Amino acid sequence: MITLKNVTLRRGVKVLLNGVNATINPGEHVGLVGRNGAGKSSLFALFNGSLHEDGGDFSIPAHWRMAQVAQNMPETEEPATDFVVAGDTRLMEVQAQLAQAEADDDGMAIAHAYTDLHDAGAHDAVPRAQALILGLGFKVSELDKPVNSFSGGWRMRLQLARALMCPSDLLLLDEPTNHLDLDALVWLEAWLKRYQGTMIVISHDREFLDAVTDVTMHIDNAQITRYGGNYSKFEDLRAEQLELQQASYAKQQEKIAHLKKFIDRFKAKASKAKQAQSRVKALDRMEKIAPVLADAEFTFEFKEPTNLPNPMLAITDAAFGYRNEDGVETTILRNVSRSVLAGQRIGILGANGQGKSTLVKTIARAMKPLAGTVTEGKGLSIGYFAQQELDVLRPSDNPLEHMIRLAKELGPNARESGREQDLRNFLGTFNFSGDMVKQTVGSMSGGEKARLVLAMIVWQRPNLLLLDEPTNHLDLATREALSMALNEFEGTVMLVSHDRALLRAVCDEFWLVGRGAIGPFDGDLDDYQRYLLDEARRLREQARTESAAPGSTQAPDPVVPESIAENPKGGAEAPKRSDKPVDAAPPARDAREQRKLDAQARQQQAQKLRPLKNELEQIDRRLTELAKERAGLEERLAQPLPPSDIADCGRRLKAANDATAELEERWLALSAQIEEASAAGA
C-alpha cells in the first residue's frame, strides 16, 4: 500500500501538505480533488519520485510498476502504433535483452529472451496498442501515420494510449479527459473501470470521477481527508461534516462565553476564587473547534441581451467544410437546413471528427459555408468560446490589453464603458486582480486563459453563445459557476462539451452531427452513450466484414477480440465465477391451477393499465402531429420570408415546442406508472 505518515511537502516557500497521514490500499481507484494550487500535481510528483517529502515518511511498494501520461508533446516520425507499443516498458526491456543476446551470440540467453517475450505479450502487442488507439477516437487509416502528423491534442491522446499500454500496478492520471470527445471519454471510462491495479486520478469532470473512482481524497488547508465513495458521495459526506463542525463550533462558543462570564463575574470574590480558577483551567484545556471558513466562490453572470431576434439564424441547404491553401474543398456536412430560435439550449453531439467544431466555427463566422446560406436574425450578437483558446487570444498580450482592444473594436456603440479603470474592475470580477491584469497570456494556466475568454464574451453581451469545449481547463468550482450562469442566460446557447454534468444541467435538446448530416437526437445523454457503443460495434463489424470479403485488398481488421481490447491487464484472467451453489427451485404447483391464476392476474392487470395506455396512445398521436407541424414550420423558416411571416412562424413553432415539452413530461410520467404497475403485478 501507499502510506504517508506525518508528511510535509513544500514547493518553494509554500507549504502544500503539513503533517499529513494517509493510506491508499492496493486496487483502490482514488479521485484526488481540491482547488487549483492545493497541491494535487505536487502529490503526484511525490508518488512518481520527482519530488521528495520535506518531512515525515512516505512509502510505496518497491516492486510496483508505475504508469502515467507524459506531459511533454511527442516529437517523432515514428508510426502511431509503434509509438504506443513502445509504452509497454516490460516488452521493450525484453526486446533489448534479445538484441543483446543475439549480438553476443548467446544461445541460452536468446532462448530465455524468447520465452520472456511470450510472457510479456509480444504476440498480441500490436493489436492491443491498436485497440487503445482506436478506442481513443483515431481512425483505422491513421494507425500507421507518423506521430508528428497529428495536432497537439491528438498527440496527447497517443501519450494517454502509451500510458495505458504500460503494464502497471499504479496508474497516475492527471486530467486525462482534457483532450477527449464524449465518445472517447465513454470508452476510457469503460477501460478504467476494468483496470485491476491501483489508480489515482485528478479530474474536474464530476461524472467521470463518479464512474471510475471508489475513494476520494480531498486536499484542503494543507491536509488530506479520505472519504469512502466517489465524488458525489464525497460532496454529500463533506456537506454533512461541515454542517456538524459548524454546529459543534457554535455550541462550543456558547460554552466558552458562559465560562468567561462566570470567570469575569466571580474572579474578584474570595469565596468564588477557586471555582473561577477551575473555570479558567477548563477553558485552557478545551480543544478549540475551528469555525467553517467558506471558500470564496467564483461566480459570474451573462448580462441580459439588448435584443433577442427570433429566429436567431436560419441555415438553408448548406454545406460545411474547409478549403485548403490550393482552394480544394473538403465537405464535411451536407444538405444542412436548420433554424435556431431565441431561448433554445442546444447540445451538439457527435463522434470525433464528424463536424461539430466545423458547424460551430461556421456559425461563429470563423469559416464560410461551402454552399447554401446562413441567414442571421437582425441584431444577432455572437459570443464564441473556441476549443483552442489561443484562436482568440494573443500570447504576448495581457488581459487588460485584450479588453482595451475589444472595447476599441466595438467602438462607440459598446454597451459598457471602455475606460481602463472600468476594464480593470471588470477583470477583477473574473479573479484577474492586481498585477494579473498585466501578466502575459502565454504565461497563464489553461484555467486562467479560459476565464479570460469568458470575461471577454460576457463583456460583449451576446444573445447567442457558441461554446466549443469550454470546460477543458476549468476546475469544478468554475464549471459550477459556468453552469449557473448559462442557466440564468436569457439568450440562446449552442454547446459542444464532453462534460456530461454541464450538458445535463444546461441543454434541453440535442442535435446529432454524424455521417455528413445534422439532425435532432431524440433521447438523453444515457441514450447517446448507448448510441456510441452501438455505433462502435457497427463500425467494428463493418471493418471485419470488409476485411473478410473475397478479393479484399484491405489490411486485416486491427480491432482485436474483446478479450484483449477490453482487458486493461493485457490478457490477464477474467474474474472467476462464484462457486456458491445455486438455491434449489421451490416445488412446482399444479400446472393447470397455476395457468388459471396467471390468466386471472393478467386480466386484472390489463384492466388497471387500460386507461393509462389509452392516454399514452393519445399523447403519441398528438406528439406525431406536433412533430409534423414543427418540421413544416422549420422548413418554412429555412426559406426567404417576409418579416411578418417569420415572426408568425416563430411564435407558432415556440407554441408547438412548449406543447411538445408538456406532453413529453406527461408521457414519461404515464410510462413510469405503467412500468411500476407492471412490475408490481409481475
Side-chain angles (χ1 to χ4, degrees), residues 428-442:
T429 64
F430 283 82
N431 289 350
F432 293 103
S433 56
D435 294 337
M436 283 194 68
V437 298
K438 293 288 189 178
Q439 181 182 345
T440 59
V441 167

Side-chain angles (χ1 to χ4, degrees), residues 2-5 7 46-49 51 53 55-60:
I2 300 174
T3 58
L4 292 85
K5 295 181 180 179
V7 166
L46 178 66
F47 291 153
N48 66 28
L51 196 64
E53 65 273 21
D57 296 313
F58 164 71
S59 65
I60 189 170

Side-chain angles (χ1 to χ4, degrees), residues 605-652:
Q605 184 75 359
Q607 290 175 351
K608 291 180 181 179
L609 295 179
R610 188 172 294 116
L612 299 177
K613 289 185 175 180
N614 287 341
E615 185 179 354
L616 200 66
E617 290 175 0
Q618 292 174 4
I619 291 176
D620 278 332
R621 287 195 293 270
R622 179 58 182 151
L623 285 173
T624 301
E625 294 170 358
L626 285 170
K628 292 180 180 177
E629 181 182 350
R630 290 161 59 200
L633 289 169
E634 287 181 348
E635 185 175 354
R636 283 201 66 197
L637 285 169
Q639 307 298 325
L641 293 172
S644 59
D645 288 354
I646 292 177
D648 178 62
C649 287
R651 284 192 296 269
R652 290 169 59 193

